[in-house]
Amino acid sequence: MANTEASLKEAMTIDGAIGAALVDYSSGMALGTTGGTKDLDLNVAAAGNTDVVRAKVRTMEHLGLQEEIEDVLITLGSQYHLIRLLRSASDNGLFLYLALDRGRANLAMARHQLRKIEGELEV
């Protein structure tokens, strides 16, 4: 099992990674961050993406969908933003956030690697 720091460090080894964060979407606070740029403040991204997750969870409840969200993908002109909700009962309310350079990233591989990191993460 890996801790938050080790998991985020591993996320940054994903091809095209710009920044990564572990976020508590009940509070919108980043529990840990790594990477980022002058244009990508990971604490601002954590709070903003919390709103995205909350909206999707609410929408699913209103629709009566009994599914779990695996991940949410936001595609920008030059970046991918990947939000992966953690599934284990002890991690309820947390998500991994990964920003990728679209020109250097392999989205399928990034999703696969983020799923692996999730499985090894112990908070």
Side-chain angles (χ1 to χ4, degrees):
M1 290 291 176
N3 66 18
T4 299
E5 183 179 340
S7 294
L8 293 175
K9 190 174 184 178
E10 186 175 349
M12 289 301 292
T13 68
I14 296 172
D15 287 342
I18 300 168
L22 177 65
V23 183
D24 175 352
Y25 71 81
S26 62
S27 69
M29 299 293 293
L31 304 178
T33 64
T34 188
T37 66
K38 66 178 180 65
D39 297 323
L40 179 63
D41 181 323
L42 291 168
N43 289 305
V44 172
N49 285 304
T50 293
D51 293 337
V52 171
V53 171
R54 288 178 185 163
K56 187 59 187 171
V57 168
R58 254 191 333 271
T59 300
M60 289 180 60
E61 288 171 357
H62 291 308
L63 292 171
L65 297 175
Q66 301 299 314
E67 299 279 337
E68 288 185 359
I69 299 170
E70 281 187 38
D71 53 39
V72 176
L73 171 65
I74 300 167
T75 305
L76 305 176
S78 64
Q79 297 176 0
Y80 294 124
H81 291 219
L82 191 55
I83 300 166
R84 177 142 190 106
L85 277 71
L86 303 188
R87 292 180 174 217
S88 72
S90 64
D91 296 328
N92 194 15
L94 301 179
F95 67 85
L96 283 166
Y97 167 72
L98 180 65
L100 299 160
D101 179 314
R102 188 172 172 166
R104 296 185 302 126
N106 177 324
L107 185 55
M109 186 58 72
R111 289 183 69 222
H112 173 73
Q113 290 174 287
L114 205 55
R115 183 173 40 249
K116 178 180 173 282
I117 291 167
E118 173 199 3
E120 296 170 353
L121 176 62
E122 184 175 292
V123 180

PDB file of all heavy atoms in Angstrom, residues 1-2 4 22-26 31 68 85-95 118-123:
ATOM      1  N   MET A   1       0.829  -1.182   0.000  1.00  0.00           N
ATOM      2  CA  MET A   1       0.000   0.000   0.000  1.00  0.00           C
ATOM      3  C   MET A   1       0.877   1.252   0.000  1.00  0.00           C
ATOM      4  O   MET A   1       1.905   1.293   0.646  1.00  0.00           O
ATOM      5  CB  MET A   1      -0.918   0.032   1.221  1.00  0.00           C
ATOM      6  CG  MET A   1      -2.016  -0.989   1.192  1.00  0.00           C
ATOM      7  SD  MET A   1      -3.156  -0.537  -0.098  1.00  0.00           S
ATOM      8  CE  MET A   1      -4.268  -1.891  -0.051  1.00  0.00           C
ATOM      9  N   ALA A   2       0.422   2.261  -0.718  1.00  0.00           N
ATOM     10  CA  ALA A   2       1.184   3.507  -0.839  1.00  0.00           C
ATOM     11  C   ALA A   2       0.452   4.641  -0.125  1.00  0.00           C
ATOM     12  O   ALA A   2      -0.772   4.673  -0.091  1.00  0.00           O
ATOM     13  CB  ALA A   2       1.365   3.857  -2.310  1.00  0.00           C
ATOM     14  N   THR A   4      -0.258   8.906   0.412  1.00  0.00           N
ATOM     15  CA  THR A   4      -0.651   9.969  -0.510  1.00  0.00           C
ATOM     16  C   THR A   4       0.540  10.502  -1.299  1.00  0.00           C
ATOM     17  O   THR A   4       0.482  10.614  -2.526  1.00  0.00           O
ATOM     18  CB  THR A   4      -1.317  11.123   0.267  1.00  0.00           C
ATOM     19  OG1 THR A   4      -2.483  10.610   0.920  1.00  0.00           O
ATOM     20  CG2 THR A   4      -1.706  12.261  -0.649  1.00  0.00           C
ATOM     21  N   LEU A  22      -4.773  14.735  -4.547  1.00  0.00           N
ATOM     22  CA  LEU A  22      -5.767  13.920  -3.866  1.00  0.00           C
ATOM     23  C   LEU A  22      -6.690  14.905  -3.183  1.00  0.00           C
ATOM     24  O   LEU A  22      -6.232  15.774  -2.422  1.00  0.00           O
ATOM     25  CB  LEU A  22      -5.122  12.981  -2.848  1.00  0.00           C
ATOM     26  CG  LEU A  22      -6.101  12.127  -2.040  1.00  0.00           C
ATOM     27  CD1 LEU A  22      -6.844  11.142  -2.950  1.00  0.00           C
ATOM     28  CD2 LEU A  22      -5.379  11.388  -0.922  1.00  0.00           C
ATOM     29  N   VAL A  23      -7.996  14.789  -3.470  1.00  0.00           N
ATOM     30  CA  VAL A  23      -8.949  15.813  -3.043  1.00  0.00           C
ATOM     31  C   VAL A  23     -10.091  15.198  -2.244  1.00  0.00           C
ATOM     32  O   VAL A  23     -10.611  14.138  -2.600  1.00  0.00           O
ATOM     33  CB  VAL A  23      -9.530  16.548  -4.284  1.00  0.00           C
ATOM     34  CG1 VAL A  23     -10.477  17.658  -3.860  1.00  0.00           C
ATOM     35  CG2 VAL A  23      -8.412  17.086  -5.165  1.00  0.00           C
ATOM     36  N   ASP A  24     -10.478  15.876  -1.185  1.00  0.00           N
ATOM     37  CA  ASP A  24     -11.655  15.530  -0.393  1.00  0.00           C
ATOM     38  C   ASP A  24     -12.816  16.348  -0.947  1.00  0.00           C
ATOM     39  O   ASP A  24     -12.849  17.570  -0.786  1.00  0.00           O
ATOM     40  CB  ASP A  24     -11.406  15.883   1.065  1.00  0.00           C
ATOM     41  CG  ASP A  24     -12.609  15.672   1.973  1.00  0.00           C
ATOM     42  OD1 ASP A  24     -13.718  15.381   1.465  1.00  0.00           O
ATOM     43  OD2 ASP A  24     -12.451  15.813   3.190  1.00  0.00           O
ATOM     44  N   TYR A  25     -13.762  15.684  -1.628  1.00  0.00           N
ATOM     45  CA  TYR A  25     -14.816  16.477  -2.255  1.00  0.00           C
ATOM     46  C   TYR A  25     -15.941  16.857  -1.306  1.00  0.00           C
ATOM     47  O   TYR A  25     -16.837  17.602  -1.674  1.00  0.00           O
ATOM     48  CB  TYR A  25     -15.338  15.853  -3.555  1.00  0.00           C
ATOM     49  CG  TYR A  25     -16.163  14.600  -3.488  1.00  0.00           C
ATOM     50  CD1 TYR A  25     -17.511  14.622  -3.192  1.00  0.00           C
ATOM     51  CD2 TYR A  25     -15.582  13.384  -3.803  1.00  0.00           C
ATOM     52  CE1 TYR A  25     -18.270  13.478  -3.183  1.00  0.00           C
ATOM     53  CE2 TYR A  25     -16.332  12.224  -3.812  1.00  0.00           C
ATOM     54  CZ  TYR A  25     -17.672  12.272  -3.491  1.00  0.00           C
ATOM     55  OH  TYR A  25     -18.411  11.118  -3.494  1.00  0.00           O
ATOM     56  N   SER A  26     -15.884  16.443  -0.057  1.00  0.00           N
ATOM     57  CA  SER A  26     -16.855  16.972   0.904  1.00  0.00           C
ATOM     58  C   SER A  26     -16.440  18.377   1.343  1.00  0.00           C
ATOM     59  O   SER A  26     -17.286  19.211   1.638  1.00  0.00           O
ATOM     60  CB  SER A  26     -17.008  16.038   2.105  1.00  0.00           C
ATOM     61  OG  SER A  26     -15.785  15.910   2.790  1.00  0.00           O
ATOM     62  N   LEU A  31      -5.756  17.207  -0.242  1.00  0.00           N
ATOM     63  CA  LEU A  31      -5.033  16.565   0.856  1.00  0.00           C
ATOM     64  C   LEU A  31      -3.552  16.429   0.514  1.00  0.00           C
ATOM     65  O   LEU A  31      -2.733  16.185   1.389  1.00  0.00           O
ATOM     66  CB  LEU A  31      -5.640  15.191   1.156  1.00  0.00           C
ATOM     67  CG  LEU A  31      -7.131  15.194   1.484  1.00  0.00           C
ATOM     68  CD1 LEU A  31      -7.629  13.780   1.708  1.00  0.00           C
ATOM     69  CD2 LEU A  31      -7.410  16.065   2.690  1.00  0.00           C
ATOM     70  N   GLU A  68     -21.706   3.581  -9.984  1.00  0.00           N
ATOM     71  CA  GLU A  68     -20.599   4.317  -9.385  1.00  0.00           C
ATOM     72  C   GLU A  68     -19.856   5.047 -10.481  1.00  0.00           C
ATOM     73  O   GLU A  68     -19.674   4.515 -11.575  1.00  0.00           O
ATOM     74  CB  GLU A  68     -19.637   3.364  -8.676  1.00  0.00           C
ATOM     75  CG  GLU A  68     -20.170   2.783  -7.395  1.00  0.00           C
ATOM     76  CD  GLU A  68     -19.128   1.949  -6.668  1.00  0.00           C
ATOM     77  OE1 GLU A  68     -18.000   1.808  -7.173  1.00  0.00           O
ATOM     78  OE2 GLU A  68     -19.456   1.437  -5.599  1.00  0.00           O
ATOM     79  N   LEU A  85     -12.725   8.965  -8.947  1.00  0.00           N
ATOM     80  CA  LEU A  85     -13.289   8.820  -7.611  1.00  0.00           C
ATOM     81  C   LEU A  85     -12.777   7.529  -6.989  1.00  0.00           C
ATOM     82  O   LEU A  85     -12.739   6.488  -7.650  1.00  0.00           O
ATOM     83  CB  LEU A  85     -14.815   8.804  -7.667  1.00  0.00           C
ATOM     84  CG  LEU A  85     -15.452  10.193  -7.717  1.00  0.00           C
ATOM     85  CD1 LEU A  85     -15.222  10.871  -9.037  1.00  0.00           C
ATOM     86  CD2 LEU A  85     -16.910  10.108  -7.394  1.00  0.00           C
ATOM     87  N   LEU A  86     -12.365   7.614  -5.718  1.00  0.00           N
ATOM     88  CA  LEU A  86     -11.853   6.437  -5.029  1.00  0.00           C
ATOM     89  C   LEU A  86     -13.024   5.602  -4.546  1.00  0.00           C
ATOM     90  O   LEU A  86     -13.999   6.124  -4.012  1.00  0.00           O
ATOM     91  CB  LEU A  86     -10.949   6.841  -3.867  1.00  0.00           C
ATOM     92  CG  LEU A  86      -9.754   7.717  -4.240  1.00  0.00           C
ATOM     93  CD1 LEU A  86      -8.831   7.898  -3.041  1.00  0.00           C
ATOM     94  CD2 LEU A  86      -8.976   7.153  -5.412  1.00  0.00           C
ATOM     95  N   ARG A  87     -12.911   4.312  -4.713  1.00  0.00           N
ATOM     96  CA  ARG A  87     -14.041   3.421  -4.462  1.00  0.00           C
ATOM     97  C   ARG A  87     -14.084   2.771  -3.091  1.00  0.00           C
ATOM     98  O   ARG A  87     -15.144   2.373  -2.646  1.00  0.00           O
ATOM     99  CB  ARG A  87     -14.044   2.305  -5.504  1.00  0.00           C
ATOM    100  CG  ARG A  87     -14.354   2.814  -6.863  1.00  0.00           C
ATOM    101  CD  ARG A  87     -14.328   1.668  -7.824  1.00  0.00           C
ATOM    102  NE  ARG A  87     -14.759   2.152  -9.106  1.00  0.00           N
ATOM    103  CZ  ARG A  87     -15.484   1.466  -9.935  1.00  0.00           C
ATOM    104  NH1 ARG A  87     -15.843   0.239  -9.639  1.00  0.00           N
ATOM    105  NH2 ARG A  87     -15.841   1.964 -11.083  1.00  0.00           N
ATOM    106  N   SER A  88     -12.955   2.578  -2.439  1.00  0.00           N
ATOM    107  CA  SER A  88     -12.979   1.826  -1.188  1.00  0.00           C
ATOM    108  C   SER A  88     -13.781   2.585  -0.135  1.00  0.00           C
ATOM    109  O   SER A  88     -13.828   3.814  -0.123  1.00  0.00           O
ATOM    110  CB  SER A  88     -11.560   1.547  -0.687  1.00  0.00           C
ATOM    111  OG  SER A  88     -10.962   2.718  -0.213  1.00  0.00           O
ATOM    112  N   ALA A  89     -14.405   1.832   0.739  1.00  0.00           N
ATOM    113  CA  ALA A  89     -15.285   2.428   1.756  1.00  0.00           C
ATOM    114  C   ALA A  89     -14.538   3.430   2.630  1.00  0.00           C
ATOM    115  O   ALA A  89     -15.077   4.473   2.998  1.00  0.00           O
ATOM    116  CB  ALA A  89     -15.900   1.332   2.619  1.00  0.00           C
ATOM    117  N   SER A  90     -13.282   3.150   2.937  1.00  0.00           N
ATOM    118  CA  SER A  90     -12.530   4.054   3.809  1.00  0.00           C
ATOM    119  C   SER A  90     -12.147   5.347   3.089  1.00  0.00           C
ATOM    120  O   SER A  90     -11.774   6.320   3.724  1.00  0.00           O
ATOM    121  CB  SER A  90     -11.274   3.356   4.330  1.00  0.00           C
ATOM    122  OG  SER A  90     -10.403   3.053   3.259  1.00  0.00           O
ATOM    123  N   ASP A  91     -12.221   5.349   1.768  1.00  0.00           N
ATOM    124  CA  ASP A  91     -11.836   6.527   0.994  1.00  0.00           C
ATOM    125  C   ASP A  91     -13.048   7.267   0.444  1.00  0.00           C
ATOM    126  O   ASP A  91     -12.916   8.067  -0.465  1.00  0.00           O
ATOM    127  CB  ASP A  91     -10.929   6.114  -0.175  1.00  0.00           C
ATOM    128  CG  ASP A  91      -9.621   5.525   0.310  1.00  0.00           C
ATOM    129  OD1 ASP A  91      -9.149   5.939   1.376  1.00  0.00           O
ATOM    130  OD2 ASP A  91      -9.087   4.655  -0.374  1.00  0.00           O
ATOM    131  N   ASN A  92     -14.226   7.002   0.978  1.00  0.00           N
ATOM    132  CA  ASN A  92     -15.434   7.642   0.490  1.00  0.00           C
ATOM    133  C   ASN A  92     -15.286   9.161   0.560  1.00  0.00           C
ATOM    134  O   ASN A  92     -14.894   9.710   1.566  1.00  0.00           O
ATOM    135  CB  ASN A  92     -16.639   7.187   1.323  1.00  0.00           C
ATOM    136  CG  ASN A  92     -17.935   7.545   0.660  1.00  0.00           C
ATOM    137  OD1 ASN A  92     -17.978   7.874  -0.518  1.00  0.00           O
ATOM    138  ND2 ASN A  92     -18.998   7.481   1.430  1.00  0.00           N
ATOM    139  N   GLY A  93     -15.584   9.817  -0.559  1.00  0.00           N
ATOM    140  CA  GLY A  93     -15.501  11.266  -0.590  1.00  0.00           C
ATOM    141  C   GLY A  93     -14.178  11.793  -1.085  1.00  0.00           C
ATOM    142  O   GLY A  93     -13.921  12.981  -0.964  1.00  0.00           O
ATOM    143  N   LEU A  94     -13.331  10.941  -1.644  1.00  0.00           N
ATOM    144  CA  LEU A  94     -12.042  11.371  -2.162  1.00  0.00           C
ATOM    145  C   LEU A  94     -11.946  11.108  -3.658  1.00  0.00           C
ATOM    146  O   LEU A  94     -12.558  10.179  -4.169  1.00  0.00           O
ATOM    147  CB  LEU A  94     -10.893  10.632  -1.467  1.00  0.00           C
ATOM    148  CG  LEU A  94     -10.781  10.771   0.041  1.00  0.00           C
ATOM    149  CD1 LEU A  94      -9.598   9.954   0.552  1.00  0.00           C
ATOM    150  CD2 LEU A  94     -10.644  12.220   0.454  1.00  0.00           C
ATOM    151  N   PHE A  95     -11.164  11.962  -4.333  1.00  0.00           N
ATOM    152  CA  PHE A  95     -10.850  11.674  -5.729  1.00  0.00           C
ATOM    153  C   PHE A  95      -9.419  12.054  -6.048  1.00  0.00           C
ATOM    154  O   PHE A  95      -8.832  12.926  -5.398  1.00  0.00           O
ATOM    155  CB  PHE A  95     -11.839  12.339  -6.698  1.00  0.00           C
ATOM    156  CG  PHE A  95     -11.815  13.845  -6.756  1.00  0.00           C
ATOM    157  CD1 PHE A  95     -10.921  14.530  -7.572  1.00  0.00           C
ATOM    158  CD2 PHE A  95     -12.728  14.595  -6.022  1.00  0.00           C
ATOM    159  CE1 PHE A  95     -10.930  15.916  -7.650  1.00  0.00           C
ATOM    160  CE2 PHE A  95     -12.745  15.980  -6.090  1.00  0.00           C
ATOM    161  CZ  PHE A  95     -11.840  16.639  -6.915  1.00  0.00           C
ATOM    162  N   GLU A 118      -4.870   4.094  -7.680  1.00  0.00           N
ATOM    163  CA  GLU A 118      -6.005   4.073  -6.745  1.00  0.00           C
ATOM    164  C   GLU A 118      -6.004   2.789  -5.927  1.00  0.00           C
ATOM    165  O   GLU A 118      -6.217   2.813  -4.716  1.00  0.00           O
ATOM    166  CB  GLU A 118      -7.324   4.178  -7.526  1.00  0.00           C
ATOM    167  CG  GLU A 118      -8.546   3.982  -6.640  1.00  0.00           C
ATOM    168  CD  GLU A 118      -9.806   3.632  -7.409  1.00  0.00           C
ATOM    169  OE1 GLU A 118      -9.760   3.484  -8.631  1.00  0.00           O
ATOM    170  OE2 GLU A 118     -10.854   3.512  -6.741  1.00  0.00           O
ATOM    171  N   GLY A 119      -5.770   1.658  -6.594  1.00  0.00           N
ATOM    172  CA  GLY A 119      -5.799   0.373  -5.908  1.00  0.00           C
ATOM    173  C   GLY A 119      -4.718   0.211  -4.847  1.00  0.00           C
ATOM    174  O   GLY A 119      -4.879  -0.552  -3.893  1.00  0.00           O
ATOM    175  N   GLU A 120      -3.631   0.942  -5.002  1.00  0.00           N
ATOM    176  CA  GLU A 120      -2.514   0.836  -4.065  1.00  0.00           C
ATOM    177  C   GLU A 120      -2.522   1.928  -2.989  1.00  0.00           C
ATOM    178  O   GLU A 120      -1.760   1.860  -2.043  1.00  0.00           O
ATOM    179  CB  GLU A 120      -1.191   0.908  -4.832  1.00  0.00           C
ATOM    180  CG  GLU A 120      -1.001  -0.253  -5.796  1.00  0.00           C
ATOM    181  CD  GLU A 120       0.173  -0.088  -6.730  1.00  0.00           C
ATOM    182  OE1 GLU A 120       0.803   1.004  -6.736  1.00  0.00           O
ATOM    183  OE2 GLU A 120       0.470  -1.044  -7.463  1.00  0.00           O
ATOM    184  N   LEU A 121      -3.391   2.924  -3.153  1.00  0.00           N
ATOM    185  CA  LEU A 121      -3.408   4.068  -2.255  1.00  0.00           C
ATOM    186  C   LEU A 121      -4.037   3.713  -0.913  1.00  0.00           C
ATOM    187  O   LEU A 121      -5.113   3.126  -0.861  1.00  0.00           O
ATOM    188  CB  LEU A 121      -4.181   5.229  -2.893  1.00  0.00           C
ATOM    189  CG  LEU A 121      -4.374   6.489  -2.052  1.00  0.00           C
ATOM    190  CD1 LEU A 121      -3.032   7.113  -1.711  1.00  0.00           C
ATOM    191  CD2 LEU A 121      -5.259   7.475  -2.793  1.00  0.00           C
ATOM    192  N   GLU A 122      -3.356   4.092   0.149  1.00  0.00           N
ATOM    193  CA  GLU A 122      -3.911   3.934   1.501  1.00  0.00           C
ATOM    194  C   GLU A 122      -3.884   5.295   2.178  1.00  0.00           C
ATOM    195  O   GLU A 122      -2.818   5.890   2.353  1.00  0.00           O
ATOM    196  CB  GLU A 122      -3.068   2.935   2.290  1.00  0.00           C
ATOM    197  CG  GLU A 122      -3.638   2.646   3.656  1.00  0.00           C
ATOM    198  CD  GLU A 122      -2.833   1.562   4.348  1.00  0.00           C
ATOM    199  OE1 GLU A 122      -2.874   0.410   3.879  1.00  0.00           O
ATOM    200  OE2 GLU A 122      -2.151   1.886   5.339  1.00  0.00           O
ATOM    201  N   VAL A 123      -5.062   5.794   2.518  1.00  0.00           N
ATOM    202  CA  VAL A 123      -5.154   7.123   3.131  1.00  0.00           C
ATOM    203  C   VAL A 123      -5.358   6.973   4.623  1.00  0.00           C
ATOM    204  O   VAL A 123      -6.082   6.186   5.097  1.00  0.00           O
ATOM    205  CB  VAL A 123      -6.318   7.930   2.514  1.00  0.00           C
ATOM    206  CG1 VAL A 123      -6.417   9.301   3.146  1.00  0.00           C
ATOM    207  CG2 VAL A 123      -6.117   8.044   1.025  1.00  0.00           C
TER     208      VAL A 123
END
